[in-house]
PDB file of all heavy atoms in Angstrom:
ATOM      1  N   MET A   1       0.832  -1.199   0.000  1.00 98.00           N
ATOM      2  CA  MET A   1       0.000   0.000   0.000  1.00 98.00           C
ATOM      3  C   MET A   1       0.873   1.258   0.000  1.00 98.00           C
ATOM      4  O   MET A   1       0.600   2.226  -0.721  1.00 98.00           O
ATOM      5  CB  MET A   1      -0.921  -0.028   1.219  1.00 98.00           C
ATOM      6  CG  MET A   1      -1.990   1.050   1.233  1.00 98.00           C
ATOM      7  SD  MET A   1      -3.017   0.932   2.735  1.00 98.00           S
ATOM      8  CE  MET A   1      -3.755  -0.702   2.521  1.00 98.00           C
ATOM      9  N   CYS A   2       1.932   1.233   0.796  1.00 98.00           N
ATOM     10  CA  CYS A   2       2.813   2.402   0.872  1.00 98.00           C
ATOM     11  C   CYS A   2       3.485   2.693  -0.464  1.00 98.00           C
ATOM     12  O   CYS A   2       3.599   3.862  -0.864  1.00 98.00           O
ATOM     13  CB  CYS A   2       3.875   2.183   1.950  1.00 98.00           C
ATOM     14  SG  CYS A   2       3.232   2.232   3.629  1.00 98.00           S
ATOM     15  N   THR A   3       3.938   1.666  -1.152  1.00 97.00           N
ATOM     16  CA  THR A   3       4.589   1.885  -2.445  1.00 97.00           C
ATOM     17  C   THR A   3       3.594   2.419  -3.474  1.00 97.00           C
ATOM     18  O   THR A   3       3.978   3.162  -4.386  1.00 97.00           O
ATOM     19  CB  THR A   3       5.229   0.588  -2.964  1.00 97.00           C
ATOM     20  OG1 THR A   3       4.233  -0.428  -3.104  1.00 97.00           O
ATOM     21  CG2 THR A   3       6.299   0.091  -1.997  1.00 97.00           C
ATOM     22  N   GLN A   4       2.330   2.060  -3.320  1.00 98.00           N
ATOM     23  CA  GLN A   4       1.309   2.573  -4.237  1.00 98.00           C
ATOM     24  C   GLN A   4       0.944   4.028  -3.940  1.00 98.00           C
ATOM     25  O   GLN A   4       0.649   4.809  -4.845  1.00 98.00           O
ATOM     26  CB  GLN A   4       0.059   1.699  -4.159  1.00 98.00           C
ATOM     27  CG  GLN A   4       0.264   0.284  -4.677  1.00 98.00           C
ATOM     28  CD  GLN A   4      -0.883  -0.646  -4.324  1.00 98.00           C
ATOM     29  OE1 GLN A   4      -1.805  -0.277  -3.596  1.00 98.00           O
ATOM     30  NE2 GLN A   4      -0.830  -1.878  -4.836  1.00 98.00           N
ATOM     31  N   LEU A   5       0.993   4.404  -2.663  1.00 98.00           N
ATOM     32  CA  LEU A   5       0.594   5.757  -2.260  1.00 98.00           C
ATOM     33  C   LEU A   5       1.703   6.785  -2.473  1.00 98.00           C
ATOM     34  O   LEU A   5       1.420   7.960  -2.697  1.00 98.00           O
ATOM     35  CB  LEU A   5       0.180   5.757  -0.783  1.00 98.00           C
ATOM     36  CG  LEU A   5      -1.084   4.985  -0.429  1.00 98.00           C
ATOM     37  CD1 LEU A   5      -1.235   4.887   1.090  1.00 98.00           C
ATOM     38  CD2 LEU A   5      -2.314   5.656  -1.041  1.00 98.00           C
ATOM     39  N   ALA A   6       2.938   6.353  -2.387  1.00 98.00           N
ATOM     40  CA  ALA A   6       4.068   7.285  -2.489  1.00 98.00           C
ATOM     41  C   ALA A   6       4.416   7.562  -3.947  1.00 98.00           C
ATOM     42  O   ALA A   6       4.332   6.674  -4.797  1.00 98.00           O
ATOM     43  CB  ALA A   6       5.277   6.706  -1.767  1.00 98.00           C
ATOM     44  N   VAL A   7       4.814   8.795  -4.223  1.00 98.00           N
ATOM     45  CA  VAL A   7       5.270   9.192  -5.559  1.00 98.00           C
ATOM     46  C   VAL A   7       6.663   9.794  -5.426  1.00 98.00           C
ATOM     47  O   VAL A   7       7.138  10.085  -4.324  1.00 98.00           O
ATOM     48  CB  VAL A   7       4.307  10.210  -6.208  1.00 98.00           C
ATOM     49  CG1 VAL A   7       2.924   9.607  -6.368  1.00 98.00           C
ATOM     50  CG2 VAL A   7       4.236  11.491  -5.382  1.00 98.00           C
ATOM     51  N   ALA A   8       7.327   9.964  -6.556  1.00 98.00           N
ATOM     52  CA  ALA A   8       8.677  10.524  -6.554  1.00 98.00           C
ATOM     53  C   ALA A   8       8.710  11.835  -5.767  1.00 98.00           C
ATOM     54  O   ALA A   8       7.844  12.691  -5.938  1.00 98.00           O
ATOM     55  CB  ALA A   8       9.155  10.746  -7.981  1.00 98.00           C
ATOM     56  N   GLY A   9       9.701  11.957  -4.897  1.00 98.00           N
ATOM     57  CA  GLY A   9       9.804  13.132  -4.044  1.00 98.00           C
ATOM     58  C   GLY A   9       9.262  12.926  -2.649  1.00 98.00           C
ATOM     59  O   GLY A   9       9.479  13.756  -1.767  1.00 98.00           O
ATOM     60  N   ASP A  10       8.548  11.799  -2.439  1.00 98.00           N
ATOM     61  CA  ASP A  10       8.002  11.465  -1.124  1.00 98.00           C
ATOM     62  C   ASP A  10       8.995  10.614  -0.334  1.00 98.00           C
ATOM     63  O   ASP A  10      10.024  10.165  -0.856  1.00 98.00           O
ATOM     64  CB  ASP A  10       6.704  10.667  -1.252  1.00 98.00           C
ATOM     65  CG  ASP A  10       5.546  11.490  -1.773  1.00 98.00           C
ATOM     66  OD1 ASP A  10       5.682  12.724  -1.869  1.00 98.00           O
ATOM     67  OD2 ASP A  10       4.501  10.885  -2.102  1.00 98.00           O
ATOM     68  N   ALA A  11       8.654  10.387   0.926  1.00 98.00           N
ATOM     69  CA  ALA A  11       9.359   9.414   1.761  1.00 98.00           C
ATOM     70  C   ALA A  11       8.349   8.417   2.289  1.00 98.00           C
ATOM     71  O   ALA A  11       7.174   8.743   2.483  1.00 98.00           O
ATOM     72  CB  ALA A  11      10.073  10.103   2.915  1.00 98.00           C
ATOM     73  N   VAL A  12       8.806   7.191   2.523  1.00 98.00           N
ATOM     74  CA  VAL A  12       8.034   6.191   3.250  1.00 98.00           C
ATOM     75  C   VAL A  12       8.806   5.917   4.531  1.00 98.00           C
ATOM     76  O   VAL A  12       9.983   5.538   4.489  1.00 98.00           O
ATOM     77  CB  VAL A  12       7.839   4.893   2.441  1.00 98.00           C
ATOM     78  CG1 VAL A  12       7.206   3.808   3.321  1.00 98.00           C
ATOM     79  CG2 VAL A  12       6.969   5.147   1.218  1.00 98.00           C
ATOM     80  N   LEU A  13       8.147   6.113   5.656  1.00 98.00           N
ATOM     81  CA  LEU A  13       8.798   5.992   6.954  1.00 98.00           C
ATOM     82  C   LEU A  13       8.111   4.940   7.809  1.00 98.00           C
ATOM     83  O   LEU A  13       6.929   5.051   8.130  1.00 98.00           O
ATOM     84  CB  LEU A  13       8.758   7.339   7.684  1.00 98.00           C
ATOM     85  CG  LEU A  13       9.224   7.362   9.142  1.00 98.00           C
ATOM     86  CD1 LEU A  13      10.711   7.025   9.247  1.00 98.00           C
ATOM     87  CD2 LEU A  13       8.920   8.717   9.779  1.00 98.00           C
ATOM     88  N   LEU A  14       8.863   3.904   8.174  1.00 98.00           N
ATOM     89  CA  LEU A  14       8.403   2.947   9.177  1.00 98.00           C
ATOM     90  C   LEU A  14       8.826   3.484  10.541  1.00 98.00           C
ATOM     91  O   LEU A  14       9.996   3.439  10.907  1.00 98.00           O
ATOM     92  CB  LEU A  14       9.033   1.575   8.935  1.00 98.00           C
ATOM     93  CG  LEU A  14       8.845   0.536  10.063  1.00 98.00           C
ATOM     94  CD1 LEU A  14       7.385   0.166  10.222  1.00 98.00           C
ATOM     95  CD2 LEU A  14       9.702  -0.698   9.821  1.00 98.00           C
ATOM     96  N   SER A  15       7.871   4.034  11.265  1.00 98.00           N
ATOM     97  CA  SER A  15       8.132   4.571  12.609  1.00 98.00           C
ATOM     98  C   SER A  15       6.849   4.387  13.409  1.00 98.00           C
ATOM     99  O   SER A  15       6.097   5.335  13.621  1.00 98.00           O
ATOM    100  CB  SER A  15       8.544   6.049  12.525  1.00 98.00           C
ATOM    101  OG  SER A  15       8.992   6.530  13.763  1.00 98.00           O
ATOM    102  N   PRO A  16       6.584   3.167  13.872  1.00 98.00           N
ATOM    103  CA  PRO A  16       5.229   2.766  14.281  1.00 98.00           C
ATOM    104  C   PRO A  16       4.697   3.353  15.575  1.00 98.00           C
ATOM    105  O   PRO A  16       3.494   3.286  15.829  1.00 98.00           O
ATOM    106  CB  PRO A  16       5.354   1.244  14.392  1.00 98.00           C
ATOM    107  CG  PRO A  16       6.606   0.885  13.651  1.00 98.00           C
ATOM    108  CD  PRO A  16       7.508   2.045  13.848  1.00 98.00           C
ATOM    109  N   ALA A  17       5.582   3.861  16.445  1.00 98.00           N
ATOM    110  CA  ALA A  17       5.161   4.383  17.756  1.00 98.00           C
ATOM    111  C   ALA A  17       4.584   3.289  18.644  1.00 98.00           C
ATOM    112  O   ALA A  17       3.921   3.575  19.638  1.00 98.00           O
ATOM    113  CB  ALA A  17       4.151   5.526  17.603  1.00 98.00           C
ATOM    114  N   CYS A  18       4.821   2.039  18.272  1.00 98.00           N
ATOM    115  CA  CYS A  18       4.281   0.888  19.008  1.00 98.00           C
ATOM    116  C   CYS A  18       5.287  -0.251  18.987  1.00 98.00           C
ATOM    117  O   CYS A  18       6.124  -0.352  18.079  1.00 98.00           O
ATOM    118  CB  CYS A  18       2.986   0.384  18.366  1.00 98.00           C
ATOM    119  SG  CYS A  18       1.631   1.570  18.370  1.00 98.00           S
ATOM    120  N   ALA A  19       5.170  -1.134  19.968  1.00 97.00           N
ATOM    121  CA  ALA A  19       5.987  -2.342  19.983  1.00 97.00           C
ATOM    122  C   ALA A  19       5.566  -3.269  18.851  1.00 97.00           C
ATOM    123  O   ALA A  19       4.481  -3.136  18.280  1.00 97.00           O
ATOM    124  CB  ALA A  19       5.843  -3.050  21.332  1.00 97.00           C
ATOM    125  N   SER A  20       6.439  -4.191  18.527  1.00 97.00           N
ATOM    126  CA  SER A  20       6.208  -5.097  17.397  1.00 97.00           C
ATOM    127  C   SER A  20       5.480  -6.373  17.784  1.00 97.00           C
ATOM    128  O   SER A  20       5.017  -7.117  16.915  1.00 97.00           O
ATOM    129  CB  SER A  20       7.556  -5.480  16.774  1.00 97.00           C
ATOM    130  OG  SER A  20       8.370  -6.128  17.751  1.00 97.00           O
ATOM    131  N   TRP A  21       5.367  -6.651  19.078  1.00 94.00           N
ATOM    132  CA  TRP A  21       4.790  -7.920  19.542  1.00 94.00           C
ATOM    133  C   TRP A  21       3.386  -8.127  18.973  1.00 94.00           C
ATOM    134  O   TRP A  21       2.621  -7.196  18.800  1.00 94.00           O
ATOM    135  CB  TRP A  21       4.729  -7.936  21.065  1.00 94.00           C
ATOM    136  CG  TRP A  21       6.040  -7.612  21.701  1.00 94.00           C
ATOM    137  CD1 TRP A  21       7.281  -8.024  21.297  1.00 94.00           C
ATOM    138  CD2 TRP A  21       6.262  -6.765  22.828  1.00 94.00           C
ATOM    139  NE1 TRP A  21       8.246  -7.502  22.106  1.00 94.00           N
ATOM    140  CE2 TRP A  21       7.659  -6.719  23.058  1.00 94.00           C
ATOM    141  CE3 TRP A  21       5.417  -6.051  23.680  1.00 94.00           C
ATOM    142  CZ2 TRP A  21       8.228  -5.988  24.095  1.00 94.00           C
ATOM    143  CZ3 TRP A  21       5.978  -5.315  24.710  1.00 94.00           C
ATOM    144  CH2 TRP A  21       7.368  -5.300  24.917  1.00 94.00           C
ATOM    145  N   GLY A  22       3.097  -9.382  18.694  1.00 92.00           N
ATOM    146  CA  GLY A  22       1.804  -9.729  18.117  1.00 92.00           C
ATOM    147  C   GLY A  22       1.917  -9.974  16.630  1.00 92.00           C
ATOM    148  O   GLY A  22       1.213 -10.821  16.077  1.00 92.00           O
ATOM    149  N   MET A  23       2.838  -9.236  15.973  1.00 95.00           N
ATOM    150  CA  MET A  23       3.101  -9.446  14.551  1.00 95.00           C
ATOM    151  C   MET A  23       4.531  -9.921  14.323  1.00 95.00           C
ATOM    152  O   MET A  23       4.805 -10.613  13.341  1.00 95.00           O
ATOM    153  CB  MET A  23       2.855  -8.155  13.760  1.00 95.00           C
ATOM    154  CG  MET A  23       1.424  -7.656  13.798  1.00 95.00           C
ATOM    155  SD  MET A  23       1.169  -6.155  12.804  1.00 95.00           S
ATOM    156  CE  MET A  23       1.181  -6.833  11.153  1.00 95.00           C
ATOM    157  N   PHE A  24       5.444  -9.535  15.231  1.00 96.00           N
ATOM    158  CA  PHE A  24       6.858  -9.865  15.099  1.00 96.00           C
ATOM    159  C   PHE A  24       7.430 -10.205  16.475  1.00 96.00           C
ATOM    160  O   PHE A  24       6.925  -9.729  17.494  1.00 96.00           O
ATOM    161  CB  PHE A  24       7.649  -8.679  14.519  1.00 96.00           C
ATOM    162  CG  PHE A  24       7.102  -8.146  13.233  1.00 96.00           C
ATOM    163  CD1 PHE A  24       6.188  -7.103  13.238  1.00 96.00           C
ATOM    164  CD2 PHE A  24       7.485  -8.689  12.023  1.00 96.00           C
ATOM    165  CE1 PHE A  24       5.672  -6.607  12.065  1.00 96.00           C
ATOM    166  CE2 PHE A  24       6.972  -8.200  10.839  1.00 96.00           C
ATOM    167  CZ  PHE A  24       6.060  -7.155  10.847  1.00 96.00           C
ATOM    168  N   PRO A  25       8.510 -10.974  16.518  1.00 96.00           N
ATOM    169  CA  PRO A  25       9.125 -11.267  17.814  1.00 96.00           C
ATOM    170  C   PRO A  25       9.809 -10.057  18.444  1.00 96.00           C
ATOM    171  O   PRO A  25       9.933  -9.969  19.660  1.00 96.00           O
ATOM    172  CB  PRO A  25      10.142 -12.375  17.495  1.00 96.00           C
ATOM    173  CG  PRO A  25      10.390 -12.268  16.027  1.00 96.00           C
ATOM    174  CD  PRO A  25       9.115 -11.756  15.422  1.00 96.00           C
TER     175      PRO A  25
END
């Protein structure tokens, strides 16, 4: 979804403000 929403000149930032537990160790 992020790659579809972003266009040249944008940034995609993974900065979740949450712990990863439940989806990742």
Side-chain angles (χ1 to χ4, degrees):
M1 189 181 298
C2 289
T3 59
Q4 293 168 354
L5 293 171
V7 299
D10 290 350
V12 172
L13 172 65
L14 169 65
S15 189
C18 297
S20 60
W21 308 320
M23 297 182 75
F24 306 92

